Coordinates of all heavy atoms in Angstrom, one line a residue:
V1532 N -119.9 -137.4 -39.8 CA -120.3 -138.6 -40.5 C -119.1 -139.6 -40.6 O -119.3 -140.8 -40.3 CB -120.8 -138.3 -41.9 CG1 -120.9 -139.6 -42.8 CG2 -122.2 -137.6 -41.8
R1533 N -117.9 -139.1 -40.9 CA -116.8 -140.0 -41.0 C -116.5 -140.6 -39.6 O -116.1 -141.8 -39.5 CB -115.6 -139.2 -41.5 CG -114.4 -140.1 -41.9 CD -114.7 -140.8 -43.1 NE -113.7 -141.7 -43.5 CZ -113.8 -143.0 -43.8 NH1 -115.0 -143.5 -43.7 NH2 -112.8 -143.8 -44.2
L1534 N -116.6 -139.8 -38.5 CA -116.4 -140.4 -37.2 C -117.4 -141.4 -36.9 O -117.0 -142.5 -36.3 CB -116.4 -139.3 -36.2 CG -116.2 -139.7 -34.7 CD1 -114.8 -140.3 -34.5 CD2 -116.4 -138.5 -33.8
A1535 N -118.6 -141.2 -37.3 CA -119.7 -142.2 -37.0 C -119.4 -143.6 -37.7 O -119.8 -144.6 -37.2 CB -121.0 -141.7 -37.5
L1536 N -118.7 -143.5 -38.8 CA -118.3 -144.7 -39.5 C -117.0 -145.4 -38.9 O -116.9 -146.6 -38.8 CB -118.1 -144.5 -41.0 CG -119.3 -144.1 -41.8 CD1 -119.0 -143.7 -43.2 CD2 -120.3 -145.3 -41.8
M1537 N -116.1 -144.5 -38.5 CA -114.8 -145.0 -38.0 C -114.9 -145.5 -36.6 O -114.2 -146.5 -36.2 CB -113.7 -143.8 -38.1 CG -113.3 -143.4 -39.5 SD -112.3 -141.9 -39.5 CE -110.9 -142.4 -38.4
D1538 N -115.7 -144.8 -35.8 CA -115.8 -145.2 -34.4 C -117.3 -144.9 -33.9 O -117.6 -144.0 -33.2 CB -114.9 -144.3 -33.6 CG -114.6 -144.8 -32.2 OD1 -115.3 -145.8 -31.8 OD2 -113.7 -144.3 -31.5
P1539 N -118.2 -145.8 -34.4 CA -119.7 -145.5 -34.1 C -120.1 -145.4 -32.7 O -121.1 -144.7 -32.4 CB -120.3 -146.7 -34.8 CG -119.3 -147.8 -35.0 CD -118.0 -147.0 -35.1
D1540 N -119.4 -146.0 -31.8 CA -119.7 -145.9 -30.4 C -119.6 -144.5 -29.8 O -120.1 -144.2 -28.7 CB -118.9 -146.9 -29.5 CG -119.3 -148.4 -29.8 OD1 -120.4 -148.6 -30.4 OD2 -118.5 -149.3 -29.5
R1541 N -118.9 -143.7 -30.5 CA -118.7 -142.3 -30.0 C -119.8 -141.3 -30.5 O -119.8 -140.2 -30.0 CB -117.3 -141.8 -30.5 CG -116.1 -142.4 -29.8 CD -114.9 -141.6 -30.0 NE -113.8 -142.2 -29.2 CZ -113.6 -141.9 -28.0 NH1 -114.3 -141.1 -27.3 NH2 -112.5 -142.5 -27.3
V1542 N -120.6 -141.8 -31.4 CA -121.6 -140.8 -32.0 C -123.0 -141.3 -31.7 O -123.4 -142.4 -31.9 CB -121.3 -140.8 -33.5 CG1 -122.3 -139.8 -34.2 CG2 -119.9 -140.3 -33.8
D1543 N -123.8 -140.3 -31.3 CA -125.2 -140.6 -31.1 C -126.0 -140.0 -32.3 O -126.0 -140.5 -33.4 CB -125.7 -140.0 -29.8 CG -127.0 -140.6 -29.3 OD1 -127.8 -141.1 -30.2 OD2 -127.3 -140.6 -28.1
R1544 N -126.7 -138.8 -32.1 CA -127.4 -138.2 -33.2 C -126.6 -137.2 -33.9 O -125.7 -136.6 -33.3 CB -128.7 -137.5 -32.7 CG -129.6 -138.5 -31.9 CD -130.8 -137.8 -31.3 NE -131.5 -138.7 -30.5 CZ -132.8 -138.5 -30.0 NH1 -133.4 -137.4 -30.3 NH2 -133.4 -139.4 -29.3
I1545 N -126.8 -137.0 -35.3 CA -126.1 -136.0 -36.0 C -127.0 -135.1 -36.8 O -127.8 -135.5 -37.6 CB -125.1 -136.7 -37.1 CG1 -124.3 -137.8 -36.4 CG2 -124.2 -135.7 -37.7 CD1 -123.4 -138.6 -37.5
L1546 N -126.9 -133.8 -36.5 CA -127.6 -132.8 -37.3 C -126.5 -132.2 -38.3 O -125.5 -131.7 -37.9 CB -128.1 -131.7 -36.4 CG -129.2 -130.7 -37.0 CD1 -129.8 -129.8 -35.9 CD2 -128.7 -129.9 -38.1
M1547 N -126.8 -132.4 -39.6 CA -125.8 -132.1 -40.6 C -126.4 -130.9 -41.4 O -127.4 -131.0 -42.1 CB -125.7 -133.3 -41.6 CG -125.3 -134.6 -40.8 SD -125.8 -136.1 -41.7 CE -124.6 -136.0 -43.0
V1548 N -125.7 -129.8 -41.3 CA -126.1 -128.6 -42.0 C -125.3 -128.4 -43.3 O -124.0 -128.3 -43.2 CB -126.0 -127.3 -41.1 CG1 -126.6 -126.1 -41.8 CG2 -126.6 -127.6 -39.8
G1549 N -125.9 -128.4 -44.4 CA -125.2 -128.3 -45.7 C -124.2 -129.4 -46.0 O -123.1 -129.1 -46.5
Y1550 N -124.5 -130.6 -45.6 CA -123.7 -131.7 -46.0 C -123.4 -131.7 -47.5 O -124.4 -131.8 -48.3 CB -124.4 -133.0 -45.5 CG -123.5 -134.3 -45.7 CD1 -122.3 -134.5 -45.0 CD2 -124.0 -135.3 -46.5 CE1 -121.6 -135.6 -45.1 CE2 -123.3 -136.5 -46.7 CZ -122.1 -136.7 -46.0 OH -121.4 -137.8 -46.1
P1551 N -122.2 -131.6 -47.9 CA -121.9 -131.1 -49.3 C -122.0 -132.1 -50.4 O -121.1 -132.2 -51.3 CB -120.5 -130.6 -49.1 CG -119.8 -131.4 -48.1 CD -120.9 -131.7 -47.1
I1552 N -123.0 -132.9 -50.4 CA -123.2 -133.9 -51.5 C -123.7 -133.2 -52.8 O -123.7 -133.8 -53.9 CB -124.1 -135.0 -51.1 CG1 -125.4 -134.5 -50.5 CG2 -123.4 -136.0 -50.2 CD1 -126.4 -135.6 -50.2
S1553 N -124.2 -131.9 -52.6 CA -124.6 -131.2 -53.8 C -123.8 -129.9 -54.1 O -124.3 -129.0 -54.7 CB -126.1 -130.8 -53.6 OG -126.3 -130.2 -52.4
L1554 N -122.6 -130.0 -53.5 CA -121.6 -128.9 -53.8 C -121.5 -128.7 -55.3 O -121.3 -129.7 -56.0 CB -120.3 -129.2 -53.2 CG -119.2 -128.1 -53.2 CD1 -119.7 -126.9 -52.3 CD2 -117.9 -128.6 -52.7
D1555 N -121.6 -127.5 -55.8 CA -121.8 -127.3 -57.2 C -120.8 -126.3 -57.9 O -121.2 -125.2 -58.2 CB -123.2 -126.7 -57.4 CG -123.7 -126.8 -58.8 OD1 -123.2 -127.7 -59.6 OD2 -124.7 -126.1 -59.2
P1556 N -119.6 -126.8 -58.1 CA -118.6 -126.0 -58.9 C -119.0 -126.0 -60.4 O -119.7 -126.9 -60.8 CB -117.3 -126.6 -58.6 CG -117.6 -128.1 -58.4 CD -118.9 -128.0 -57.7
P1557 N -118.6 -125.0 -61.1 CA -118.8 -125.1 -62.6 C -118.3 -126.4 -63.2 O -117.2 -126.8 -62.9 CB -118.1 -123.8 -63.1 CG -117.9 -122.9 -61.9 CD -117.8 -123.9 -60.8

Side-chain angles (χ1 to χ4, degrees):
V1532 167
R1533 194 69 183 129
L1534 181 61
L1536 292 173
M1537 292 170 59
D1538 197 348
D1540 290 341
R1541 289 198 175 274
V1542 179
D1543 199 334
R1544 304 180 185 190
I1545 310 175
L1546 197 171
M1547 308 155 69
V1548 187
Y1550 185 62
I1552 52 178
S1553 52
L1554 188 66
D1555 197 21

